Amino acid sequence: MEIIILPTPDDVARTAADAIEEQVRRGPSVLGLATGSTPLGTYQELIRRHQEDGLSFAAAQAFLLDEYVGLHAAHPQSYHSFIRKEFTESVDFGDGTVHGLDGLAGDPAAEAARYEARIAAAGGVDIQVLGIGTDGHVGFNEPMSSLASRTRIKTLTRQTRQDNARFFAALEDVPDHVLTQGLGTIREARHLLLLAMGEAKAEAVAAAVEGPVAAVCPASALQLHPHVSVLVDEAAASRLAHRGYYQDTFGRKPAWQGL
Ligand code: PGA
């Protein structure tokens, strides 16, 4: 894991956008997109680069990490709607190239299998954007998720439903269930970008990066991946024991190496 501590959330967004831009400019790419507040700055930066610098997503495909069960793709709080509104409708992805899970699927297990097959048929994910929940989840893999899990239905913890209630009129409106890529699925992406900003994420970041690999902190499974960039602002890094070491090594990293 490479832990990169940056002064502000804007620096996190710019650095994540740099890595995604580099991937997209390399050729046809498969992007793994997260929803939630964390990647919004990254998406805004990519939209700006599309509008001002001609960064094109016309040769890219995208796969969402997760979706609420019971919400139609057109529901304003569905992750299909979220990603369209916050990112993809403002750039130039081709029709049908932004894929998500069907929250209304009558057979969630079949839908999960179909999604895994679509990711595989696309050649796998080149770069996967990830946030982290205050309980250590990635995607919607809540604590005790199997470190080898595949796309499947999960029940949200009370803590996650409370965290996400801000997007809904009331806590009771937050669905209980979700479909999410599994930790085993996420770990097959070639490069993982884990983003976290703010003090509220500091404990989860410390457990994920410096704690043991354990299902109680699902993000710790990323320690098993050979190419993870953890981009955090000072506040999200505040509980890391080895901050000085991460800052020193990143400060002396050769510029040609990239993320
Ligand atoms: P957030 O959520 O980006 O809205 O904080 C992160 C997550 O739940 O994975």
Side-chain angles (χ1 to χ4, degrees):
M1 278 184 154
E2 180 173 36
I3 294 96
I4 301 169
I5 302 172
L6 296 157
T8 69
D10 283 350
D11 297 310
V12 171
R14 267 193 301 275
T15 306
D18 288 346
I20 296 165
E21 173 168 3
E22 195 182 317
Q23 173 62 49
V24 167
R25 289 199 189 273
R26 210 175 283 151
S29 295
V30 181
L31 309 181
L33 301 180
T35 48
S37 305
T38 303
L40 288 178
T42 303
Y43 298 148
Q44 282 157 16
E45 178 63 16
L46 290 170
I47 291 167
R48 189 193 66 72
R49 294 181 192 192
H50 169 70
Q51 290 169 348
E52 295 174 16
D53 306 334
L55 177 62
S56 174
F57 296 84
Q61 292 191 68
F63 286 87
L64 301 190
L65 270 178
D66 43 22
E67 184 56 278
Y68 289 112
V69 168
L71 299 193
H72 189 276
H75 187 285
Q77 266 68 49
S78 78
Y79 284 161
H80 280 86
S81 295
F82 184 101
I83 204 69
R84 210 168 31 244
K85 174 166 168 286
E86 302 295 346
F87 181 38
T88 59
E89 74 180 9
S90 301
V91 296
D92 61 343
F93 282 99
D95 288 344
T97 60
V98 179
H99 310 279
L101 285 144
D102 178 4
L104 291 186
D107 182 345
E111 171 62 8
R114 181 197 66 85
Y115 201 59
E116 291 267 345
R118 281 170 84 177
I119 295 172
V125 171
D126 291 305
I127 188 164
Q128 174 68 58
V129 179
L130 297 167
I132 182 170
T134 57
D135 64 0
H137 70 225
V138 286
F140 269 137
N141 294 280
E142 296 285 33
M144 310 323 293
S145 287
S146 161
L147 304 185
S149 49
R150 310 302 307 186
T151 303
R152 70 217 183 287
I153 193 164
K154 288 293 287 179
T155 303
L156 294 180
T157 62
R158 171 158 289 276
Q159 188 173 328
T160 297
R161 293 182 66 244
Q162 280 165 350
D163 285 348
N164 288 6
R166 67 189 190 282
F167 295 112
F168 292 82
L171 177 60
E172 305 74 61
D173 296 338
V174 183
D176 279 314
H177 297 107
V178 291
L179 280 162
T180 181
Q181 289 189 36
L183 294 170
T185 318
I186 290 167
R187 277 175 35 217
E188 285 173 3
R190 286 180 273 280
H191 182 193
L192 304 181
L193 282 183
L194 178 67
L195 316 183
M197 286 91 90
E199 174 69 31
K201 299 294 175 71
E203 198 176 325
V205 167
V209 170
E210 294 180 339
V213 175
V216 72
C217 178
S220 68
L222 307 189
Q223 293 178 34
L224 299 169
H225 191 283
H227 190 185
V228 184
S229 305
V230 179
L231 307 180
V232 286
D233 70 352
E234 299 274 0
S238 59
R239 301 286 290 271
L240 291 169
H242 302 287
R243 281 198 306 280
Y245 167 58
Y246 309 138
Q247 281 163 328
D248 182 51
T249 47
F250 185 65
R252 290 186 292 113
K253 184 174 179 167
W256 53 262
Q257 209 173 4
L259 286 193

